[in-house]
Amino acid sequence: YNAFYMYTLSSAIVLQKQENTEQETLHLLLLYDDSTCTYYFPKCYVNHGDVMQDMLVQEVQESTGATILVHNYVSFIASSMVHENAKIRKKTHYFAAEYTGGELCVKEGFLGRVCFYTVPEALALLQFQGVHTLGFEDEYALLKQYSETI
């Protein structure tokens, strides 16, 4: 390999509780990117010395309009690939977070949408995507395991 790159990302599993007369329903915040036809959790790159949770709060606000409160660390997914004769390693850390307000909107220049989905809807979207898009099956597995604990 001519080069080696290492990326660290921080991602939020943002929950919103909606109460109706019957029961409380949990919803998850997902972004959809029109250019890649993929759903994903809000995430950001983390530089050495940055506090992951602080960067995540800032990025979620900037990219979705949502304000969040980060609660706890959930897990991480590590992956690697080769691109143009360079080895790339990526480690994404996932945090549970609570939606505390803000009007949902996408940042300028982003072609896509942001909205809340019920946990079963989010699982179905990520499962379909994991089957059809390389690299996304791990996010589905992580969410499936995490959703059983909430």
Side-chain angles (χ1 to χ4, degrees), residues 47-78:
N47 296 312
H48 181 72
D50 288 343
V51 176
M52 286 187 206
Q53 296 91 324
D54 295 345
M55 295 300 299
L56 193 55
V57 168
Q58 180 180 333
E59 179 59 27
V60 169
Q61 170 83 51
E62 290 175 6
S63 64
T64 71
T67 55
I68 63 168
L69 176 63
V70 176
H71 286 292
N72 59 294
Y73 184 78
V74 175
S75 188
F76 72 90
I77 295 174

mmCIF file of all heavy atoms in Angstrom, residues 47-78:
data_model
loop_
_atom_site.group_PDB
_atom_site.id
_atom_site.type_symbol
_atom_site.label_atom_id
_atom_site.label_comp_id
_atom_site.label_asym_id
_atom_site.label_seq_id
_atom_site.Cartn_x
_atom_site.Cartn_y
_atom_site.Cartn_z
ATOM 1 N N ASN A 47 -11.230 14.357 15.633
ATOM 2 C CA ASN A 47 -9.786 14.567 15.562
ATOM 3 C C ASN A 47 -9.151 14.235 16.908
ATOM 4 O O ASN A 47 -9.813 14.262 17.945
ATOM 5 C CB ASN A 47 -9.480 16.022 15.191
ATOM 6 C CG ASN A 47 -9.985 16.358 13.809
ATOM 7 O OD1 ASN A 47 -9.753 15.618 12.857
ATOM 8 N ND2 ASN A 47 -10.706 17.455 13.702
ATOM 9 N N HIS A 48 -7.860 13.947 16.881
ATOM 10 C CA HIS A 48 -7.130 13.650 18.111
ATOM 11 C C HIS A 48 -7.297 14.814 19.083
ATOM 12 O O HIS A 48 -7.119 15.970 18.732
ATOM 13 C CB HIS A 48 -5.649 13.412 17.798
ATOM 14 C CG HIS A 48 -4.848 13.074 19.015
ATOM 15 N ND1 HIS A 48 -4.965 11.854 19.652
ATOM 16 C CD2 HIS A 48 -3.952 13.790 19.726
ATOM 17 C CE1 HIS A 48 -4.165 11.833 20.685
ATOM 18 N NE2 HIS A 48 -3.538 13.010 20.765
ATOM 19 N N GLY A 49 -7.672 14.509 20.300
ATOM 20 C CA GLY A 49 -7.855 15.535 21.324
ATOM 21 C C GLY A 49 -9.289 16.026 21.462
ATOM 22 O O GLY A 49 -9.625 16.685 22.441
ATOM 23 N N ASP A 50 -10.149 15.723 20.466
ATOM 24 C CA ASP A 50 -11.555 16.118 20.560
ATOM 25 C C ASP A 50 -12.294 15.206 21.542
ATOM 26 O O ASP A 50 -11.959 14.033 21.682
ATOM 27 C CB ASP A 50 -12.250 15.989 19.198
ATOM 28 C CG ASP A 50 -11.828 17.051 18.205
ATOM 29 O OD1 ASP A 50 -11.255 18.075 18.635
ATOM 30 O OD2 ASP A 50 -12.069 16.850 17.002
ATOM 31 N N VAL A 51 -13.295 15.736 22.188
ATOM 32 C CA VAL A 51 -14.179 14.939 23.031
ATOM 33 C C VAL A 51 -15.326 14.459 22.138
ATOM 34 O O VAL A 51 -16.070 15.277 21.589
ATOM 35 C CB VAL A 51 -14.714 15.759 24.226
ATOM 36 C CG1 VAL A 51 -15.705 14.944 25.037
ATOM 37 C CG2 VAL A 51 -13.563 16.243 25.093
ATOM 38 N N MET A 52 -15.439 13.144 21.975
ATOM 39 C CA MET A 52 -16.411 12.576 21.034
ATOM 40 C C MET A 52 -17.827 13.079 21.258
ATOM 41 O O MET A 52 -18.519 13.458 20.314
ATOM 42 C CB MET A 52 -16.406 11.049 21.115
ATOM 43 C CG MET A 52 -15.229 10.404 20.488
ATOM 44 S SD MET A 52 -15.472 8.618 20.481
ATOM 45 C CE MET A 52 -13.772 8.111 20.475
ATOM 46 N N GLN A 53 -18.267 13.073 22.510
ATOM 47 C CA GLN A 53 -19.637 13.465 22.810
ATOM 48 C C GLN A 53 -19.892 14.926 22.437
ATOM 49 O O GLN A 53 -20.947 15.262 21.901
ATOM 50 C CB GLN A 53 -19.972 13.232 24.287
ATOM 51 C CG GLN A 53 -19.938 11.782 24.702
ATOM 52 C CD GLN A 53 -18.572 11.338 25.214
ATOM 53 O OE1 GLN A 53 -17.538 11.766 24.735
ATOM 54 N NE2 GLN A 53 -18.577 10.457 26.204
ATOM 55 N N ASP A 54 -18.942 15.805 22.718
ATOM 56 C CA ASP A 54 -19.095 17.224 22.389
ATOM 57 C C ASP A 54 -19.173 17.443 20.884
ATOM 58 O O ASP A 54 -20.003 18.210 20.395
ATOM 59 C CB ASP A 54 -17.938 18.049 22.965
ATOM 60 C CG ASP A 54 -17.919 18.060 24.482
ATOM 61 O OD1 ASP A 54 -18.937 17.682 25.103
ATOM 62 O OD2 ASP A 54 -16.876 18.437 25.056
ATOM 63 N N MET A 55 -18.307 16.757 20.146
ATOM 64 C CA MET A 55 -18.314 16.872 18.689
ATOM 65 C C MET A 55 -19.630 16.359 18.117
ATOM 66 O O MET A 55 -20.180 16.921 17.173
ATOM 67 C CB MET A 55 -17.139 16.100 18.078
ATOM 68 C CG MET A 55 -15.772 16.639 18.436
ATOM 69 S SD MET A 55 -15.530 18.351 17.912
ATOM 70 C CE MET A 55 -15.712 18.188 16.154
ATOM 71 N N LEU A 56 -20.141 15.296 18.711
ATOM 72 C CA LEU A 56 -21.383 14.687 18.243
ATOM 73 C C LEU A 56 -22.578 15.615 18.457
ATOM 74 O O LEU A 56 -23.400 15.793 17.555
ATOM 75 C CB LEU A 56 -21.595 13.363 18.969
ATOM 76 C CG LEU A 56 -22.654 12.437 18.414
ATOM 77 C CD1 LEU A 56 -22.431 12.135 16.945
ATOM 78 C CD2 LEU A 56 -22.652 11.142 19.207
ATOM 79 N N VAL A 57 -22.668 16.226 19.621
ATOM 80 C CA VAL A 57 -23.754 17.173 19.905
ATOM 81 C C VAL A 57 -23.732 18.304 18.877
ATOM 82 O O VAL A 57 -24.772 18.675 18.306
ATOM 83 C CB VAL A 57 -23.642 17.730 21.344
ATOM 84 C CG1 VAL A 57 -24.573 18.924 21.547
ATOM 85 C CG2 VAL A 57 -23.942 16.635 22.362
ATOM 86 N N GLN A 58 -22.547 18.834 18.606
ATOM 87 C CA GLN A 58 -22.396 19.931 17.658
ATOM 88 C C GLN A 58 -22.775 19.493 16.247
ATOM 89 O O GLN A 58 -23.514 20.183 15.546
ATOM 90 C CB GLN A 58 -20.941 20.433 17.681
ATOM 91 C CG GLN A 58 -20.665 21.558 16.734
ATOM 92 C CD GLN A 58 -19.201 22.002 16.818
ATOM 93 O OE1 GLN A 58 -18.546 21.855 17.842
ATOM 94 N NE2 GLN A 58 -18.698 22.547 15.725
ATOM 95 N N GLU A 59 -22.305 18.328 15.812
ATOM 96 C CA GLU A 59 -22.572 17.861 14.454
ATOM 97 C C GLU A 59 -24.046 17.517 14.249
ATOM 98 O O GLU A 59 -24.612 17.819 13.198
ATOM 99 C CB GLU A 59 -21.708 16.648 14.119
ATOM 100 C CG GLU A 59 -21.946 16.085 12.730
ATOM 101 C CD GLU A 59 -21.707 17.063 11.586
ATOM 102 O OE1 GLU A 59 -20.897 18.006 11.745
ATOM 103 O OE2 GLU A 59 -22.337 16.881 10.525
ATOM 104 N N VAL A 60 -24.677 16.886 15.236
ATOM 105 C CA VAL A 60 -26.100 16.561 15.106
ATOM 106 C C VAL A 60 -26.905 17.846 14.952
ATOM 107 O O VAL A 60 -27.800 17.932 14.103
ATOM 108 C CB VAL A 60 -26.597 15.708 16.298
ATOM 109 C CG1 VAL A 60 -28.114 15.600 16.297
ATOM 110 C CG2 VAL A 60 -25.974 14.321 16.262
ATOM 111 N N GLN A 61 -26.576 18.862 15.740
ATOM 112 C CA GLN A 61 -27.269 20.161 15.637
ATOM 113 C C GLN A 61 -27.077 20.757 14.234
ATOM 114 O O GLN A 61 -28.029 21.196 13.600
ATOM 115 C CB GLN A 61 -26.726 21.123 16.695
ATOM 116 C CG GLN A 61 -27.187 22.558 16.520
ATOM 117 C CD GLN A 61 -28.541 22.831 17.093
ATOM 118 O OE1 GLN A 61 -28.794 22.507 18.231
ATOM 119 N NE2 GLN A 61 -29.421 23.432 16.331
ATOM 120 N N GLU A 62 -25.833 20.747 13.746
ATOM 121 C CA GLU A 62 -25.540 21.350 12.444
ATOM 122 C C GLU A 62 -26.151 20.568 11.283
ATOM 123 O O GLU A 62 -26.622 21.164 10.323
ATOM 124 C CB GLU A 62 -24.026 21.460 12.243
ATOM 125 C CG GLU A 62 -23.374 22.494 13.131
ATOM 126 C CD GLU A 62 -21.855 22.505 13.004
ATOM 127 O OE1 GLU A 62 -21.312 21.782 12.147
ATOM 128 O OE2 GLU A 62 -21.217 23.230 13.786
ATOM 129 N N SER A 63 -26.146 19.242 11.367
ATOM 130 C CA SER A 63 -26.586 18.443 10.219
ATOM 131 C C SER A 63 -28.067 18.108 10.217
ATOM 132 O O SER A 63 -28.626 17.778 9.172
ATOM 133 C CB SER A 63 -25.770 17.153 10.127
ATOM 134 O OG SER A 63 -26.000 16.327 11.243
ATOM 135 N N THR A 64 -28.742 18.203 11.376
ATOM 136 C CA THR A 64 -30.153 17.813 11.430
ATOM 137 C C THR A 64 -31.067 18.863 12.042
ATOM 138 O O THR A 64 -32.274 18.746 11.932
ATOM 139 C CB THR A 64 -30.337 16.513 12.247
ATOM 140 O OG1 THR A 64 -30.106 16.791 13.633
ATOM 141 C CG2 THR A 64 -29.427 15.405 11.769
ATOM 142 N N GLY A 65 -30.508 19.849 12.727
ATOM 143 C CA GLY A 65 -31.314 20.827 13.439
ATOM 144 C C GLY A 65 -31.726 20.373 14.831
ATOM 145 O O GLY A 65 -32.284 21.137 15.604
ATOM 146 N N ALA A 66 -31.470 19.108 15.167
ATOM 147 C CA ALA A 66 -31.879 18.549 16.460
ATOM 148 C C ALA A 66 -30.871 18.878 17.550
ATOM 149 O O ALA A 66 -29.667 18.868 17.315
ATOM 150 C CB ALA A 66 -32.025 17.037 16.345
ATOM 151 N N THR A 67 -31.381 19.157 18.732
ATOM 152 C CA THR A 67 -30.509 19.243 19.899
ATOM 153 C C THR A 67 -30.650 17.926 20.654
ATOM 154 O O THR A 67 -31.749 17.365 20.733
ATOM 155 C CB THR A 67 -30.870 20.435 20.811
ATOM 156 O OG1 THR A 67 -32.240 20.351 21.176
ATOM 157 C CG2 THR A 67 -30.609 21.750 20.101
ATOM 158 N N ILE A 68 -29.524 17.434 21.166
ATOM 159 C CA ILE A 68 -29.525 16.129 21.830
ATOM 160 C C ILE A 68 -28.771 16.190 23.148
ATOM 161 O O ILE A 68 -27.962 17.082 23.374
ATOM 162 C CB ILE A 68 -28.898 15.030 20.937
ATOM 163 C CG1 ILE A 68 -27.418 15.322 20.655
ATOM 164 C CG2 ILE A 68 -29.680 14.842 19.656
ATOM 165 C CD1 ILE A 68 -26.650 14.156 20.027
ATOM 166 N N LEU A 69 -29.063 15.214 23.977
ATOM 167 C CA LEU A 69 -28.341 14.995 25.222
ATOM 168 C C LEU A 69 -27.752 13.599 25.134
ATOM 169 O O LEU A 69 -28.495 12.620 25.012
ATOM 170 C CB LEU A 69 -29.294 15.104 26.414
ATOM 171 C CG LEU A 69 -28.718 14.803 27.796
ATOM 172 C CD1 LEU A 69 -27.625 15.808 28.151
ATOM 173 C CD2 LEU A 69 -29.829 14.833 28.840
ATOM 174 N N VAL A 70 -26.423 13.493 25.140
ATOM 175 C CA VAL A 70 -25.759 12.197 25.042
ATOM 176 C C VAL A 70 -25.802 11.517 26.404
ATOM 177 O O VAL A 70 -25.440 12.117 27.409
ATOM 178 C CB VAL A 70 -24.300 12.350 24.553
ATOM 179 C CG1 VAL A 70 -23.584 11.008 24.540
ATOM 180 C CG2 VAL A 70 -24.267 12.978 23.165
ATOM 181 N N HIS A 71 -26.264 10.263 26.428
ATOM 182 C CA HIS A 71 -26.403 9.539 27.689
ATOM 183 C C HIS A 71 -25.253 8.563 27.941
ATOM 184 O O HIS A 71 -24.551 8.682 28.927
ATOM 185 C CB HIS A 71 -27.730 8.780 27.743
ATOM 186 C CG HIS A 71 -28.893 9.673 27.965
ATOM 187 N ND1 HIS A 71 -29.118 10.357 29.125
ATOM 188 C CD2 HIS A 71 -29.917 10.009 27.148
ATOM 189 C CE1 HIS A 71 -30.210 11.084 29.026
ATOM 190 N NE2 HIS A 71 -30.727 10.890 27.832
ATOM 191 N N ASN A 72 -25.091 7.590 27.078
ATOM 192 C CA ASN A 72 -24.081 6.569 27.365
ATOM 193 C C ASN A 72 -23.495 5.979 26.084
ATOM 194 O O ASN A 72 -24.078 6.085 25.005
ATOM 195 C CB ASN A 72 -24.663 5.451 28.246
ATOM 196 C CG ASN A 72 -25.837 4.757 27.601
ATOM 197 O OD1 ASN A 72 -26.883 5.362 27.393
ATOM 198 N ND2 ASN A 72 -25.676 3.488 27.263
ATOM 199 N N TYR A 73 -22.339 5.361 26.266
ATOM 200 C CA TYR A 73 -21.642 4.680 25.180
ATOM 201 C C TYR A 73 -22.333 3.348 24.925
ATOM 202 O O TYR A 73 -22.683 2.636 25.855
ATOM 203 C CB TYR A 73 -20.187 4.456 25.590
ATOM 204 C CG TYR A 73 -19.327 3.838 24.530
ATOM 205 C CD1 TYR A 73 -18.845 4.600 23.476
ATOM 206 C CD2 TYR A 73 -18.990 2.491 24.582
ATOM 207 C CE1 TYR A 73 -18.033 4.039 22.494
ATOM 208 C CE2 TYR A 73 -18.187 1.927 23.602
ATOM 209 C CZ TYR A 73 -17.720 2.704 22.566
ATOM 210 O OH TYR A 73 -16.924 2.150 21.597
ATOM 211 N N VAL A 74 -22.543 3.002 23.657
ATOM 212 C CA VAL A 74 -23.218 1.753 23.303
ATOM 213 C C VAL A 74 -22.219 0.706 22.831
ATOM 214 O O VAL A 74 -22.136 -0.377 23.397
ATOM 215 C CB VAL A 74 -24.295 1.994 22.218
ATOM 216 C CG1 VAL A 74 -24.906 0.675 21.756
ATOM 217 C CG2 VAL A 74 -25.369 2.939 22.734
ATOM 218 N N SER A 75 -21.452 1.037 21.790
ATOM 219 C CA SER A 75 -20.517 0.063 21.220
ATOM 220 C C SER A 75 -19.726 0.751 20.110
ATOM 221 O O SER A 75 -19.863 1.952 19.902
ATOM 222 C CB SER A 75 -21.290 -1.135 20.650
ATOM 223 O OG SER A 75 -20.397 -2.161 20.269
ATOM 224 N N PHE A 76 -18.927 -0.042 19.393
ATOM 225 C CA PHE A 76 -18.225 0.487 18.235
ATOM 226 C C PHE A 76 -18.242 -0.553 17.127
ATOM 227 O O PHE A 76 -18.468 -1.738 17.355
ATOM 228 C CB PHE A 76 -16.780 0.889 18.568
ATOM 229 C CG PHE A 76 -15.869 -0.284 18.801
ATOM 230 C CD1 PHE A 76 -15.159 -0.850 17.751
ATOM 231 C CD2 PHE A 76 -15.718 -0.820 20.074
ATOM 232 C CE1 PHE A 76 -14.318 -1.937 17.965
ATOM 233 C CE2 PHE A 76 -14.891 -1.902 20.301
ATOM 234 C CZ PHE A 76 -14.189 -2.463 19.247
ATOM 235 N N ILE A 77 -18.007 -0.063 15.907
ATOM 236 C CA ILE A 77 -17.839 -0.934 14.746
ATOM 237 C C ILE A 77 -16.524 -0.544 14.095
ATOM 238 O O ILE A 77 -16.298 0.633 13.799
ATOM 239 C CB ILE A 77 -18.991 -0.780 13.741
ATOM 240 C CG1 ILE A 77 -20.312 -1.244 14.357
ATOM 241 C CG2 ILE A 77 -18.697 -1.568 12.460
ATOM 242 C CD1 ILE A 77 -21.529 -0.992 13.472
ATOM 243 N N ALA A 78 -15.667 -1.528 13.887
ATOM 244 C CA ALA A 78 -14.389 -1.296 13.206
ATOM 245 C C ALA A 78 -14.460 -1.928 11.815
ATOM 246 O O ALA A 78 -15.021 -3.012 11.646
ATOM 247 C CB ALA A 78 -13.245 -1.902 14.001
#
